[in-house]
Amino acid sequence: MSAFQPAIAIHGGAGNLARYAGTGRIEEAETFLSTLIDHLHAMLVKGASAVDAVTDAVVQLEDAGLFHAGKGSSPGSKGYVELDASIMEGRFGEAGAIAMVRNVKNPIQLARVIMDRTPLVMLAGPEAEELAAEHGLPLVGPDYFVPCTQVGAAISDEQDSRRGTVGAVARDARGTFAAATSTGGVLNKIAGRIGDAPIIGAGTFARNGVGAVSCTGVGEYFIRQAAAYQVIARMELLGESVGAAAGTVMQRINDDHGNGGIIALGPRGEVAMPFNTTGMYRAAIDAWGKRTVGVL
Ligand code: ASP
């Protein structure tokens, strides 16, 4: 019997997803998320670490081509994709992040290399790409990326096609928390623009004994609210439940006229997944085995 029951939550971005009702795209995403969440939970039950579970989750979400991250990323203002990602483990507060990489198939694996194999927390641009090559990570050319707005039913919707991210939060059987986030950012973003996804404390945070958080939405609002850390701090310092903490931060972003969503785990493996858009691709299994899969 494990000391802790595992818990896991994943997201594939928040947006005006109600536009996809009736196109088959919501069902396609739900089927994908449903299979993935069961696989990740089984990994954790078998003893996988939280950081391996969130890495695997994000790799699969990046490869799916259904979300604006990894394969599904959209090009920015200069016609090429720039990818951002970050990962954090809650035991010692170790973290890794990368920004503005163009040719790395799985940005989250490069963030993991930064965390595990270097003394750095964040590396950007060509030097980050060189590190990926040095560590033998798969590299891809521009043709690899198929913006997810082109996959399946073609729906042109400015709000929805502008952004997207994937992320995961987990607690393993040893009680360690981890969080990971990866994004192609926003469509037509100005080259060099960096959102919240690779910023520890904005898009991603994990702390043992407290919880783990991954955010999605218009990154500038999440950076200004220190959103991921604020959820953790509200639980740790104010004693708020994960639902209250994540809900308050989402409300503050809403009050600022920002939008998006948050997935978060609380200290006992409780799950909260608030969003203020018409949908967020999401799935979770909490510490009591309660399973949630949803889009709208
Ligand atoms: N947060 C991401 C960014 O601002 C985009 C998103 O999550 O939709 O780059």
Side-chain angles (χ1 to χ4, degrees):
M1 186 70 181
S2 307
F4 295 89
Q5 293 302 324
I8 175 105
I10 56 177
H11 72 81
N16 186 11
L17 307 182
R19 292 297 183 102
Y20 294 121
T23 66
R25 187 158 161 175
I26 288 170
E27 293 73 14
E28 182 188 11
E30 277 176 350
T31 301
F32 177 83
L33 294 168
S34 182
T35 305
L36 181 55
I37 201 71
D38 288 340
H39 158 76
L40 296 165
H41 189 255
M43 264 179 85
L44 287 165
V45 167
K46 282 188 208 137
S49 68
V51 77
D52 280 347
V54 298
T55 304
D56 190 42
V58 171
V59 164
Q60 295 206 42
L61 289 158
E62 287 172 340
D63 288 348
L66 296 170
F67 314 104
H68 292 103
K71 187 173 178 58
S73 299
S74 304
S77 64
K78 293 196 175 166
Y80 46 76
V81 302
E82 287 184 317
L83 309 171
D84 305 332
S86 65
I87 188 163
M88 186 170 193
E89 201 194 33
R91 197 168 25 148
F92 302 119
E94 288 173 344
I98 55 102
M100 295 168 54
V101 299
R102 297 196 215 166
N103 67 351
V104 177
K105 177 171 170 280
N106 293 108
I108 200 64
Q109 288 179 329
L110 183 53
R112 179 87 188 260
V113 165
I114 303 269
M115 178 171 85
D116 289 350
R117 315 277 290 272
T118 80
L120 309 176
V121 168
M122 193 172 198
L123 194 63
E127 285 74 14
E129 293 171 350
E130 281 167 24
L131 188 76
E134 278 167 31
H135 285 270
L137 297 185
L139 303 179
V140 291
D143 294 348
Y144 171 72
F145 300 100
V146 181
C148 72
T149 47
Q150 292 175 15
V151 175
I155 288 186
S156 162
D157 178 79
E158 182 65 6
Q159 263 280 86
D160 187 44
S161 61
R162 278 170 59 92
R163 55 197 162 68
T165 284
V166 304
V169 291
R171 182 183 75 166
D172 63 30
R174 289 168 294 281
T176 287
F177 284 88
T181 311
S182 175
T183 192
V186 291
L187 187 72
N188 288 329
K189 68 181 177 184
I190 294 168
R193 177 263 186 193
I194 298 171
D196 60 320
I199 298 179
I200 298 300
T204 303
F205 207 82
R207 175 165 286 167
N208 275 17
V210 186
V213 183
S214 171
C215 301
T216 176
V218 182
E220 285 71 11
Y221 296 91
F222 287 77
I223 294 170
R224 287 191 287 253
Q225 283 287 347
Y229 179 69
Q230 192 186 151
V231 174
I232 294 290
R234 298 188 77 86
M235 291 193 281
E236 187 172 21
L237 305 176
L238 298 178
E240 288 185 357
S241 69
V242 68
T248 299
V249 174
M250 204 55 246
Q251 184 59 48
R252 287 186 161 192
I253 285 165
N254 189 68
D255 293 345
D256 291 344
H257 307 290
N259 58 43
I262 295 171
I263 61 168
L265 296 182
R268 288 171 296 283
E270 320 90 304
V271 172
M273 300 193 285
F275 53 94
N276 71 341
T277 49
T278 63
M280 177 166 76
Y281 297 110
R282 64 197 185 281
I285 299 178
D286 73 12
W288 296 266
K290 183 172 173 251
R291 191 173 180 283
T292 310
V293 178
V295 176
L296 302 181

